[in-house]
Amino acid sequence: MIRLTKETRTYTFAPENPPAITVDPGTTLIFETLDALDDQIHSDSDPASKVDLNHCNGITGPVFIKGAKPGDTLVAEILDIQPWDWGAALIIPGFGFLQDTIPGPYTKVVRIDKDGSMRLGEKVRLPARPMIGTIGVSPTKAIPTLNSGQHGGNLDTTDIRPGSKLFLPVLVEGALFGVGDVHATMGDGEVCGTGVECGAEVTIKLDLLKDHPIERPRIETSLEIMVVASAEGLNAAIKMALVDMVNWLQTDHGLSKEEAYVIVSSAGDVRIGQVVDPAVTVRVALPKGIFSGRR
Ligand code: CA
């Protein structure tokens, strides 16, 4: 299987970044990813203030997908995530939802067991919930990997995990896909600014939907479909995701906008991805089962 090493990493999603590899649609790759802290933290005594924020959140890639053009959709099927055997959770001064009251710095390095679970102190064991924080394609102009947007990026969305498909709008020729910033676990909101940040090996199948434009990222899990929106401010992000979902239901399911709006309100969930990055990320999820029309 094709393997991309962490040495290929970059710190921007950018059209000028040279491809690390060129592949056909339908190719499965293993991405070696470095933790979002760029391997700068190794023990509880490494202060979070040591982290150089200009040198973190690297993505492995980019991958040029043959035939990908603007107006297509790139499908990234997350097949597997194997975290390293350790990770770190931090409170970084000036970062996080409670930065005024719990400013840090604080560092907690945790060992990740073979089953993916991790012990936090003597009393708490966190279950394995590996997911991808940063994943996306190149926009038409360079964007740092700490940011999120139409191209994906630092989405920190817990449903980007094994078994999920992420759909991304192709914005430049070849798509230039990259991935990094794996979390061994993270809660919705990522309130202190990190999950358990770790390096990993991520297995992803990349495919194309030709002439299939979408506005921004979408996710399909075994049970749900979702739209993912990032904006400066929670209200703006929620509105963006709702409009997208209503449009999607109109286009693909022939519903009126009023029907779609009521269905989203009655059966859908608005969930928070993260509220700590430069743009916050939300998703609107809808169960797939409602479309069968049968009881
Ligand atoms: Ca992140």
Side-chain angles (χ1 to χ4, degrees):
M1 192 166 320
I2 297 168
R3 175 179 287 268
L4 279 189
T5 68
K6 56 187 184 295
E7 282 71 32
T8 65
R9 71 188 180 281
T10 62
Y11 301 92
T12 54
F13 287 98
E16 60 269 25
N17 288 343
I21 192 167
T22 298
V23 301
D24 289 313
T27 302
T28 300
L29 303 96
I30 296 175
F31 297 81
E32 295 178 3
T33 61
L34 210 53
D35 63 281
L37 308 159
D38 222 46
D39 215 11
Q40 298 176 76
I41 296 290
H42 296 103
S43 80
D44 290 359
S45 57
D46 284 339
S49 48
K50 165 185 168 184
V51 177
D52 176 1
L53 290 178
N54 294 316
H55 206 262
C56 64
N57 224 50
I59 50 163
T60 301
V63 179
F64 186 103
I65 295 95
K66 285 183 202 165
K69 293 196 164 39
D72 299 339
T73 289
L74 182 69
V75 186
E77 185 175 358
I78 319 299
L79 299 175
D80 189 40
I81 298 176
Q82 293 293 327
W84 289 353
D85 61 1
W86 67 277
L90 294 95
I91 302 170
I92 301 171
F95 202 55
F97 211 71
L98 299 182
Q99 57 184 266
D100 297 334
T101 49
I102 312 178
Y106 175 81
T107 302
K108 189 73 190 173
V109 169
V110 296
R111 187 129 312 270
I112 302 169
D113 289 341
K114 281 201 165 37
D115 67 358
S117 69
M118 57 222 99
R119 184 172 285 285
L120 201 71
E122 290 301 306
K123 297 177 181 169
V124 176
R125 179 170 287 280
L126 306 177
R129 290 201 306 177
M131 45 81 62
I132 295 168
T134 301
I135 183 167
V137 294
S138 173
T140 53
K141 284 186 184 166
I143 294 182
T145 53
L146 274 174
N147 293 60
S148 53
Q150 181 193 25
H151 69 292
N154 195 6
L155 297 171
D156 288 324
T157 292
T158 52
D159 285 300
I160 304 177
R161 55 181 159 77
S164 297
K165 286 181 183 173
L166 176 68
F167 300 80
L168 295 160
V170 176
L171 303 169
V172 301
E173 195 176 340
L176 297 177
F177 171 87
V179 60
D181 179 26
V182 164
H183 303 147
T185 182
M186 189 200 100
D188 275 350
E190 201 189 21
V191 292
C192 88
T194 76
V196 175
E197 311 287 327
C198 63
E201 284 192 7
V202 182
T203 308
I204 297 179
K205 182 180 179 184
L206 294 173
D207 216 337
L208 276 184
L209 298 175
K210 291 297 293 176
D211 301 319
H212 187 278
I214 57 175
E215 275 298 304
R216 56 193 108 253
R218 295 177 177 178
I219 298 170
E220 183 176 349
T221 69
S222 58
L223 296 175
E224 295 177 312
I225 57 169
M226 304 173 194
V227 293
V228 183
S230 301
E232 289 188 17
L234 203 49
N235 287 357
I238 291 171
K239 193 173 278 189
M240 202 180 270
L242 286 172
V243 168
D244 266 8
M245 182 58 93
V246 167
N247 288 342
W248 188 3
L249 294 180
Q250 283 184 266
T251 307
D252 283 18
H253 295 277
L255 300 169
S256 74
K257 66 183 175 198
E258 288 80 9
E259 284 174 322
Y261 190 25
V262 165
I263 288 168
V264 172
S265 186
S266 305
D269 289 332
V270 177
R271 298 182 193 147
I272 291 173
Q274 56 75 27
V275 287
V276 291
D277 292 333
V280 304
T281 302
V282 304
R283 63 201 183 283
V284 171
L286 205 56
K288 287 164 145 181
I290 65 170
F291 298 112
S292 70
R294 290 192 291 270
R295 286 197 293 163

mmCIF file of all heavy atoms in Angstrom, residues 36 57 133-134 154 156 181 183 190 197 277, ligand 1:
data_model
loop_
_atom_site.group_PDB
_atom_site.id
_atom_site.type_symbol
_atom_site.label_atom_id
_atom_site.label_comp_id
_atom_site.label_asym_id
_atom_site.label_seq_id
_atom_site.Cartn_x
_atom_site.Cartn_y
_atom_site.Cartn_z
ATOM 1 N N ALA A 36 -0.544 17.433 16.447
ATOM 2 C CA ALA A 36 -0.762 18.842 16.106
ATOM 3 C C ALA A 36 0.289 19.765 16.729
ATOM 4 O O ALA A 36 0.463 20.899 16.284
ATOM 5 C CB ALA A 36 -2.152 19.273 16.549
ATOM 6 N N ASN A 57 0.260 21.843 13.783
ATOM 7 C CA ASN A 57 -0.892 21.424 12.976
ATOM 8 C C ASN A 57 -0.501 21.083 11.536
ATOM 9 O O ASN A 57 -1.242 21.384 10.603
ATOM 10 C CB ASN A 57 -1.988 22.501 12.999
ATOM 11 C CG ASN A 57 -3.362 21.891 13.194
ATOM 12 O OD1 ASN A 57 -3.539 21.097 14.111
ATOM 13 N ND2 ASN A 57 -4.307 22.227 12.364
ATOM 14 N N GLY A 133 -8.553 15.628 13.201
ATOM 15 C CA GLY A 133 -8.836 17.036 13.443
ATOM 16 C C GLY A 133 -8.759 17.883 12.182
ATOM 17 O O GLY A 133 -9.602 18.741 11.953
ATOM 18 N N THR A 134 -7.718 17.659 11.395
ATOM 19 C CA THR A 134 -7.476 18.532 10.242
ATOM 20 C C THR A 134 -7.393 17.704 8.967
ATOM 21 O O THR A 134 -6.570 16.779 8.870
ATOM 22 C CB THR A 134 -6.179 19.336 10.439
ATOM 23 O OG1 THR A 134 -6.304 20.112 11.638
ATOM 24 C CG2 THR A 134 -5.924 20.276 9.276
ATOM 25 N N ASN A 154 -9.017 22.685 9.690
ATOM 26 C CA ASN A 154 -8.992 22.309 11.114
ATOM 27 C C ASN A 154 -10.427 22.175 11.647
ATOM 28 O O ASN A 154 -10.880 22.960 12.477
ATOM 29 C CB ASN A 154 -8.209 23.384 11.875
ATOM 30 C CG ASN A 154 -7.790 22.947 13.262
ATOM 31 O OD1 ASN A 154 -7.967 21.789 13.656
ATOM 32 N ND2 ASN A 154 -7.241 23.879 14.025
ATOM 33 N N ASP A 156 -11.884 19.718 13.401
ATOM 34 C CA ASP A 156 -12.037 19.173 14.751
ATOM 35 C C ASP A 156 -13.469 18.691 15.000
ATOM 36 O O ASP A 156 -14.154 19.130 15.921
ATOM 37 C CB ASP A 156 -11.611 20.215 15.798
ATOM 38 C CG ASP A 156 -10.103 20.401 15.807
ATOM 39 O OD1 ASP A 156 -9.380 19.415 15.611
ATOM 40 O OD2 ASP A 156 -9.646 21.552 15.991
ATOM 41 N N ASP A 181 -3.228 16.092 12.522
ATOM 42 C CA ASP A 181 -3.931 16.536 13.721
ATOM 43 C C ASP A 181 -4.927 15.482 14.238
ATOM 44 O O ASP A 181 -6.090 15.781 14.493
ATOM 45 C CB ASP A 181 -4.636 17.873 13.409
ATOM 46 C CG ASP A 181 -5.423 18.454 14.568
ATOM 47 O OD1 ASP A 181 -5.081 18.156 15.720
ATOM 48 O OD2 ASP A 181 -6.386 19.200 14.292
ATOM 49 N N HIS A 183 -6.653 13.034 16.932
ATOM 50 C CA HIS A 183 -6.921 13.001 18.374
ATOM 51 C C HIS A 183 -7.271 11.568 18.771
ATOM 52 O O HIS A 183 -8.114 10.942 18.114
ATOM 53 C CB HIS A 183 -8.098 13.914 18.729
ATOM 54 C CG HIS A 183 -7.911 15.333 18.310
ATOM 55 N ND1 HIS A 183 -8.948 16.143 17.901
ATOM 56 C CD2 HIS A 183 -6.788 16.082 18.219
ATOM 57 C CE1 HIS A 183 -8.477 17.341 17.600
ATOM 58 N NE2 HIS A 183 -7.167 17.329 17.777
ATOM 59 N N GLU A 190 -14.304 20.756 21.920
ATOM 60 C CA GLU A 190 -12.843 20.813 22.158
ATOM 61 C C GLU A 190 -12.502 22.023 23.027
ATOM 62 O O GLU A 190 -11.662 22.850 22.693
ATOM 63 C CB GLU A 190 -12.068 20.878 20.831
ATOM 64 C CG GLU A 190 -10.629 20.432 20.981
ATOM 65 C CD GLU A 190 -9.773 20.700 19.742
ATOM 66 O OE1 GLU A 190 -10.137 21.551 18.918
ATOM 67 O OE2 GLU A 190 -8.709 20.077 19.640
ATOM 68 N N GLU A 197 -3.994 14.938 21.808
ATOM 69 C CA GLU A 197 -3.311 15.131 20.533
ATOM 70 C C GLU A 197 -2.275 14.027 20.353
ATOM 71 O O GLU A 197 -1.492 13.762 21.261
ATOM 72 C CB GLU A 197 -2.616 16.497 20.516
ATOM 73 C CG GLU A 197 -3.499 17.659 20.946
ATOM 74 C CD GLU A 197 -4.534 18.032 19.901
ATOM 75 O OE1 GLU A 197 -4.253 17.897 18.703
ATOM 76 O OE2 GLU A 197 -5.654 18.435 20.288
ATOM 77 N N ASP A 277 -11.025 27.434 17.628
ATOM 78 C CA ASP A 277 -10.114 27.798 16.549
ATOM 79 C C ASP A 277 -10.518 29.163 15.982
ATOM 80 O O ASP A 277 -11.538 29.726 16.396
ATOM 81 C CB ASP A 277 -10.143 26.720 15.461
ATOM 82 C CG ASP A 277 -9.537 25.404 15.962
ATOM 83 O OD1 ASP A 277 -8.688 25.470 16.863
ATOM 84 O OD2 ASP A 277 -9.920 24.346 15.454
HETATM 85 CA CA CA B 1 -7.296 20.724 15.700
#
